[in-house]
Amino acid sequence: MDNWIDGFRWKQDSTVGTWRIICGRLWTICFRHRNSTGLGICTPERMLGICRGRRKFLAASLTILFVPAITWIYLFAGSFEDGKPVSLPPLESQPHSPRYIVSSQQERESLEVRMREVEEENRVLRKQLSLAQSRSPLHHRGNHSKTFSMEEGTGDSESLRAGIVAGNSSECGQQPAVEKCETIHVAIVCAGYNASRDVVTLVKSVLFHRRNPLHFHLIADAIAKQILATLFQTWMVPAVRIDFYDADELKSEVSWIPNKHYSGIYGLMKLVLTKTLPSNLERVIVLDTDITFATDIAELWAVFHKFKGQQVLGLVENQSDWYLGNLWKNHRPWPALGRGYNTGVILLLLDKLRKMKWEQMWRLTAERELMSMLSTSLADQDIFNAVIKQNPFLVYQLPCFWNVQLSDHTRSEQCYRDVSDLKVIHWNSPKKLRVKNKHVEFFRNLYLTFLEYDGNLLRRELFGCPSEADVNSENLQKQLSELDEDDLCYEFRRERFTVHRTHLYFLHYEYEPASDNTDVTLVAQLSMDRLQMLEAICKHWEGPISLALYLSDAEAQQFLRYAQGSEVLMSRHNVGYHIVYKEGQFYPVNLLRNVAMKHISTPYMFLSDIDFLPMYGLYEYLRKSVIQLDLANTKKALIVPAFETLRYRLSFPKSKAELLSMLDMGTLFTFRYHVWTKGHAPTNFAKWRTATTPYRVEWEADFEPYVVVRKDCPEYDRRFVGFGWNKVAHIMELDAQEYEFTVLPNAYMIHMPHAPSFDITKFRSNKQYRICLKTLKEEFQQDMSRHYGFAALKYLTAENNS
C-alpha cells in the first residue's frame, strides 16, 4: 500500500490530472471492494471504510487530498465562463495576470497534449492496480463470492479500452450484465464413448465455477445419449436441465459435405443448430467437448450484451497459421478472414441467425467452395470461416482468453501474459494433453484437477435460485424423511435410497449378437483392489462381459490408464465397463450387480463374482447348455459348481478330471466348505464328481450358488450392502418365483485367494453390523411372505431350523 501511495506523482503543473488519478483509484478500489463483499453503491464513507485499520494509508491519503481538494474547487469554479469551458491556467497565475487574460493558441494546444498524457497515465495506472489486485488473495476471494458476473474483455482494441475504463469507472451502481438466476444455455455435440467422457470433464469445470442455472442442449448419437442420460439422471445436480437432440436424424443435413477431419460427420452439426434447437431459444453458447473452463461461464454469457448491429457470431481468432496457408508447401486452406476463427467456442444469436436465413447462407457458401476445395479439412470451422470471409459484419471477435487453443502450431502464448488470465482452455489437437506449450504442465494440471474432481461435491444448491421440481428427487426425499434417524440401523436403511452417479460404458464397447440367440454375458462387480483380476478373466472367458466398478473419480482415471495400458483389455471390445461412483460408507454390492445386469446385450447371463476364474471353454459350454435345457422356455437357474484354492500361483485345471485330481490332492477345495458350508452344500459335490448329465437340486436355507439365468430374472435386493446375505436373498427370490435349480455336470469355476475386503472385516469385528444384517434379513423374509403368499413361509421355517 505504501508503494501505491508513493506512486502518486504530485506536480503543480498537473493538479487536475493528478486529482483525477486519485479519484479514479479510490473509485476503482471501492468498485472492486463492492464486488468482493456484495455491498451496495459506493459512498465516501464506504470508500474510507475500505482503508479502515490502515492508519498509515489513511493519514497519507488525507494529507494528499486536503490541499488538492481546495484547489480543485477553485479550479472547477473558474473553469467555466457563461457555461462554456475555458483553458485552465497554471496554479500560480492570478486573474489579473496578462497570461490569464491573453491565452495563446500554443498554450491551449500544450495544455491539451498534457491532458491527454495524464489520461493515458491514468489508464495505465488503473490497469496496473487492477492486475495487482487480481493477484492478491483478497481479490481471489472476491471473485468467488460475487453474485453477478461482469465481462471485461471485448473484441477489438477500442472496445477493449472502453471495457477497462468501464470496469474501473466510478459507476459503482451499474447493473450487472447477467441476472442472478438467469438460465445460461449451452449446446454440445457429442457422439461415442470417448466424447462422452470428455463431456463429463467439461461439465465439471463449468459446474465448479457457475453461479447460474444451466440448460445443456446435447446433440448426441444413441450411444452418447444412453451414457449421458443415465449420468445426469443419477448425478442429480440442482438447477441443471438436460435436453437431447438426435444427432443421427441430423446426418442427412450435412452428410453431403465431404469431411477429412477426425471428428467425422458429427463435426459438421454445429452448422444446423438454428434448425435443431428450440425456435424460442434466442442465444446459446456452443462448446467443443475438449474444452476446460477456468472461470464462471456467466462471464462469457455476458458478452452477448456487447453484440451490435448485425453481429450474430462470437468467435475467437484462430491462433495457428492454418488459414494463412504457410504451414507446408502447397498448403491450400479454405478462405478465411485473416487468420480465421476457431469454432471450439461460439456465441450464437439464434433468433437473428434465423432471420438472416443462416441455413441458406452456409449451404450456398459450402456448395460454392466445395467445387474447388472438394472437402473440408477442419469440419464446420472451414464453412463458418468461408461465410465470414464474405460477411465480416457477422462476427463479434472475442478476446483470445475465451478460447486458448493448445496445439503444436498455435500462437496461444501471445494471447496471455500470465496463465491466471486465462478463462477457457481448448485441447484442439489430436494429441490432446501431449501438445507442446511453454505452460503445458499448468494446463494439464488444471485439466486433471477437473478430471479427477469428486462430482458429488457439485450437487450444491444455488443460493436464492429455486430448482425446478424433480419428481424422482421429491420421492427420494420423502422416503428418506420416513426413516427413523434414531434407529441403530439407520445408515444401512439409508443406503438403499442413495443415488449413485453412474457412468455407463466408460470404455469403447462393441458387441455383435449371436445368430442363434444363445449368447451369455458374464456379470460381475468389483472395486479398485480387485482390478488385477480383469486380465485373467478376459483370458478365461471369450464371451461378452458386463462389469460394474465402484470407484471414485480419481480411481476411475487410474482404471482408465490401467485399461489403456493393457494389451489384453484393449483387444477386447465386448466388455462393458460401468462406473458407479463412490458415495456413502457401505459397498453397494447389490446395486453394482443390478447395474451390470441391466446393461447386457444378450438373452442370458452368468452371475459371477470378480474373484472367480471360469474354466476354459465355459462360455461355449453354457451356450450349448442353454439350448439343451431349453432355458428360453423354462424358468431354470443353471448352477456352475464353485471351488477355491489357497495358492496364489495355480496351474489351472484344463478338465474336470484334472480338477478332481487336484481336489483329492488338497490343492483345491469346494468353495467355503470350512467357513460357510451351507452356502454351496445343496450343489451336492459328491454327486457332481460322477455326474454326466445335469441334475436338479432343491433350495435350502443360505444357499448362494453362481447361476446362469435369463436376463429377465429379478434384481438383487438393494437393502443388503457390504458383506452378508446379498446373494442368499437373490437365490431365495428365484426359488420363490419357482425357478428350477439345475447343476451342470461339466462346468466349474475357481475362487482365487486375495486379502479380505474392508466389509468382511467390519462384519467380523462389529457386533452392531451383524445385528443390523440379521434385522434386514428378517424384514426381507417378511416382505417375501407378503409378496409371494403362503408358499414363502417355508423360508422362515427353514431359517428357524437351520
Side-chain angles (χ1 to χ4, degrees):
M1 186 59 73
D2 293 338
N3 293 334
W4 188 84
I5 297 172
D6 294 339
F8 288 114
R9 294 190 296 276
W10 186 263
K11 297 180 181 178
Q12 288 183 333
D13 62 340
S14 59
T15 303
V16 178
T18 307
W19 172 245
R20 293 183 64 181
I21 295 172
I22 295 170
C23 292
R25 288 191 171 186
L26 283 174
W27 279 113
T28 300
I29 294 173
C30 173
F31 180 80
R32 293 184 178 277
H33 182 70
R34 179 188 71 94
N35 279 348
S36 65
T37 59
L39 296 175
I41 299 175
C42 294
T43 64
E45 291 79 10
R46 201 161 282 160
M47 289 167 61
L48 291 177
I50 296 170
C51 308
R52 186 171 299 149
R54 301 184 181 184
R55 297 180 180 178
K56 186 176 181 180
F57 170 80
L58 185 56
S61 299
L62 291 174
T63 302
I64 292 173
L65 292 176
F66 180 72
V67 174
I70 298 174
T71 307
W72 172 256
I73 295 171
Y74 167 75
L75 292 174
F76 184 82
S79 62
F80 289 85
E81 285 185 4
D82 299 327
K84 298 181 180 179
V86 298
S87 57
L88 294 174
L91 191 61
E92 69 273 11
S93 299
Q94 299 300 320
H96 59 271
S97 169
R99 294 178 60 191
Y100 181 80
I101 299 171
V102 182
S103 300
S104 67
Q105 181 68 25
Q106 183 178 0
E107 288 174 334
R108 285 198 298 270
E109 291 175 354
S110 176
L111 185 57
E112 289 172 2
V113 170
R114 181 57 186 155
M115 289 296 291
R116 284 196 294 270
E117 290 175 354
V118 172
E119 284 290 344
E120 179 61 18
E121 182 179 289
N122 189 13
R123 188 187 69 81
V124 172
L125 288 172
R126 283 173 177 167
K127 186 173 183 180
Q128 290 174 350
L129 180 62
S130 175
L131 289 173
Q133 288 183 334
S134 69
R135 291 174 183 140
S136 71
L138 177 63
H139 180 75
H140 187 266
R141 289 194 298 270
N143 275 348
H144 285 273
S145 63
K146 64 185 178 183
T147 303
F148 299 106
S149 301
M150 298 296 295
E151 166 58 32
E152 297 182 2
T154 52
D156 51 70
S157 57
E158 182 180 352
S159 299
L160 182 58
R161 287 194 296 272
I164 293 172
V165 173
N168 295 287
S169 70
S170 61
E171 297 177 5
C172 290
Q174 63 183 328
Q175 291 299 314
V178 180
E179 294 297 331
K180 179 178 180 180
C181 294
E182 180 179 349
T183 299
I184 296 171
H185 294 266
V186 181
I188 304 171
V189 179
C190 177
Y193 303 96
N194 295 337
S196 300
R197 285 202 310 273
D198 293 338
V199 165
V200 177
T201 309
L202 162 60
V203 169
K204 279 185 182 180
S205 71
V206 173
L207 291 175
F208 180 83
H209 297 286
R210 64 105 176 218
R211 302 283 192 281
N212 290 71
L214 295 170
H215 188 165
F216 288 100
H217 302 266
L218 302 178
I219 298 86
D221 65 349
I223 294 169
K225 181 179 180 180
Q226 181 186 15
I227 295 171
L228 296 175
T230 301
L231 176 70
F232 282 105
Q233 182 182 357
T234 54
W235 203 341
M236 300 178 69
V237 183
V240 172
R241 178 179 171 183
I242 310 294
D243 278 331
F244 288 93
Y245 307 85
D246 192 346
D248 294 328
E249 291 183 358
L250 301 175
K251 285 182 177 179
S252 59
E253 300 283 344
V254 293
S255 58
W256 56 274
I257 305 173
N259 178 28
K260 294 189 293 187
H261 192 255
Y262 61 83
S263 60
I265 192 171
Y266 299 101
L268 297 162
M269 291 188 176
K270 293 178 192 172
L271 295 166
V272 296
L273 290 180
T274 52
K275 288 183 62 177
T276 307
L277 299 178
S279 58
N280 61 346
L281 182 60
E282 296 181 355
R283 60 189 66 181
V284 69
I285 298 173
V286 186
L287 302 174
D288 277 357
T289 59
D290 50 2
I291 292 287
T292 303
F293 266 78
T295 192
D296 189 349
I297 196 172
E299 295 182 31
L300 181 58
W301 186 257
V303 180
F304 276 116
H305 295 280
K306 299 187 176 182
F307 282 31
K308 297 178 181 178
Q310 292 181 293
Q311 292 173 336
V312 290
L313 302 170
L315 292 163
V316 172
E317 184 182 53
N318 204 41
Q319 290 160 21
S320 77
D321 292 345
W322 177 270
Y323 287 108
L324 299 182
N326 58 9
L327 292 182
W328 58 80
K329 187 178 181 181
N330 299 326
H331 176 214
R332 186 165 168 258
W334 275 56
L337 195 64
R339 290 188 168 275
Y341 294 92
N342 184 278
T343 56
V345 176
I346 315 176
L347 301 187
L348 289 184
L349 274 181
L350 296 171
D351 52 346
K352 285 191 175 182
L353 278 168
R354 294 183 183 108
K355 292 176 182 177
M356 289 181 177
K357 300 189 182 302
W358 167 253
E359 284 289 319
Q360 297 179 18
M361 191 182 297
W362 75 259
R363 284 178 182 274
L364 290 173
T365 302
E367 289 170 358
R368 182 181 65 249
E369 297 300 334
L370 284 170
M371 294 177 66
S372 58
M373 298 303 299
L374 303 181
S375 68
T376 63
S377 296
L378 300 182
D380 65 90
Q381 184 167 298
D382 284 337
I383 299 175
F384 270 104
N385 275 287
V387 173
I388 293 168
K389 174 76 172 178
Q390 298 294 320
N391 308 278
F393 57 86
L394 296 176
V395 178
Y396 177 89
Q397 184 173 327
L398 297 170
C400 60
F401 53 64
W402 283 119
N403 185 355
V404 179
Q405 301 144 38
L406 297 181
S407 60
D408 291 345
H409 303 291
T410 59
R411 302 161 61 247
S412 58
E413 294 174 17
Q414 299 181 25
C415 176
Y416 56 91
R417 293 183 180 180
D418 191 277
V419 290
S420 61
D421 300 331
L422 303 181
K423 296 183 182 292
V424 172
I425 300 166
H426 186 188
W427 302 90
N428 64 322
S429 166
K431 295 168 67 174
K432 300 305 179 189
L433 302 187
R434 300 188 304 277
V435 296
K436 298 176 183 178
N437 183 282
K438 183 169 66 176
H439 299 113
V440 70
E441 283 302 317
F442 172 85
F443 298 131
R444 185 183 292 118
N445 290 335
L446 180 66
Y447 174 80
L448 293 176
T449 296
F450 291 116
L451 193 69
E452 300 183 357
Y453 188 81
D454 184 355
N456 298 328
L457 300 178
L458 298 170
R459 289 170 167 166
R460 57 176 183 265
E461 292 281 352
L462 290 184
F463 179 75
C465 295
S467 301
E468 293 184 12
D470 186 329
V471 176
N472 293 331
S473 180
E474 290 178 351
N475 290 338
L476 180 63
Q477 291 300 323
K478 181 181 178 182
Q479 292 170 329
L480 289 173
S481 65
E482 293 174 353
L483 297 179
D484 182 6
E485 295 188 17
D486 295 327
D487 185 355
L488 294 177
C489 300
Y490 171 77
E491 293 299 332
F492 283 85
R493 302 187 194 282
R494 188 180 188 281
E495 182 63 34
R496 182 178 185 180
F497 302 108
T498 300
V499 178
H500 291 264
R501 189 165 37 104
T502 304
H503 188 136
L504 304 177
Y505 300 105
F506 198 68
L507 294 177
H508 184 77
Y509 177 77
E510 289 181 16
Y511 168 73
E512 290 293 334
S515 57
D516 57 1
N517 207 32
T518 63
D519 222 344
V520 182
T521 298
L522 186 150
V523 172
Q525 43 74 36
L526 69 152
S527 53
M528 200 68 182
D529 58 341
R530 300 288 186 266
L531 209 58
Q532 73 280 358
M533 290 295 299
L534 292 182
E535 289 189 347
I537 287 179
C538 286
K539 291 176 181 177
H540 280 249
W541 178 274
E542 61 270 28
I545 303 174
S546 181
L547 299 173
L549 298 88
Y550 191 57
L551 307 173
S552 67
D553 291 77
E555 288 174 340
Q557 298 310 312
Q558 295 176 33
F559 159 70
L560 180 62
R561 292 191 289 271
Y562 169 80
Q564 291 176 338
S566 168
E567 292 184 8
V568 174
L569 299 187
M570 285 296 96
S571 65
R572 291 287 299 272
H573 300 299
N574 62 348
V575 180
Y577 300 97
H578 313 297
I579 308 295
V580 176
Y581 288 100
K582 286 184 175 180
E583 187 169 1
Q585 58 176 307
F586 296 102
Y587 184 80
V589 57
N590 280 355
L591 167 66
L592 296 172
R593 289 185 173 123
N594 291 340
V595 169
M597 286 170 55
K598 187 177 180 180
H599 298 97
I600 67 170
S601 306
T602 61
Y604 308 102
M605 53 189 176
F606 172 32
L607 304 179
S608 181
D609 272 336
I610 198 66
D611 44 10
F612 277 89
L613 289 181
M615 73 176 199
Y616 291 110
L618 181 61
Y619 170 62
E620 291 298 333
Y621 177 74
L622 292 181
R623 292 182 63 180
K624 294 176 181 177
S625 299
V626 162
I627 300 174
Q628 177 186 356
L629 297 171
D630 193 23
L631 211 60
N633 301 309
T634 58
K635 295 179 73 172
K636 286 190 175 74
L638 309 183
I639 297 174
V640 177
F643 300 85
E644 68 176 336
T645 179
L646 302 180
R647 300 184 180 184
Y648 283 87
R649 293 179 177 272
L650 175 72
S651 178
F652 201 89
K654 296 180 176 58
S655 65
K656 180 178 178 178
E658 189 175 341
L659 180 139
L660 291 174
S661 175
M662 296 173 71
L663 202 60
D664 294 336
M665 292 173 60
T667 307
L668 293 177
F669 309 92
T670 56
F671 185 56
R672 291 289 187 264
Y673 85 98
H674 55 298
V675 292
W676 185 244
T677 306
K678 295 189 294 182
H680 293 266
T683 301
N684 195 344
F685 289 98
K687 183 174 183 178
W688 182 83
R689 293 179 68 100
T690 58
T692 56
T693 58
Y695 59 92
R696 182 175 177 178
V697 295
E698 297 297 328
W699 175 89
E700 295 180 20
D702 299 322
F703 193 26
E704 53 175 2
Y706 294 94
V707 297
V708 179
V709 290
R710 294 198 308 247
K711 67 180 299 183
D712 61 354
C713 85
E715 291 186 338
Y716 287 82
D717 195 292
R718 279 197 59 187
R719 82 184 77 195
F720 298 105
V721 294
F723 176 82
W725 242 71
N726 43 74
K727 292 192 299 291
V728 172
H730 187 246
I731 294 298
M732 181 181 291
E733 187 154 8
L734 290 181
D735 182 67
Q737 292 192 10
E738 299 180 346
Y739 274 73
E740 178 183 314
F741 296 104
T742 302
V743 180
L744 299 174
N746 294 308
Y748 57 86
M749 58 196 298
I750 300 177
H751 179 264
M752 306 305 291
H754 55 73
S757 67
F758 177 68
D759 293 280
I760 196 172
T761 302
K762 283 200 299 185
F763 173 81
R764 292 170 177 170
S765 61
N766 190 328
K767 181 179 179 181
Q768 187 59 44
Y769 191 109
R770 297 192 295 273
I771 292 174
C772 287
L773 180 61
K774 183 179 180 181
T775 301
L776 294 175
K777 174 182 174 181
E778 292 171 352
E779 291 174 358
F780 172 76
Q781 291 173 327
Q782 292 170 4
D783 290 345
M784 291 279 289
S785 298
R786 283 192 290 268
H787 191 268
Y788 295 104
F790 179 78
L793 292 176
K794 71 174 182 178
Y795 304 122
L796 292 172
T797 305
E799 176 62 24
N800 293 332
N801 293 334
S802 63

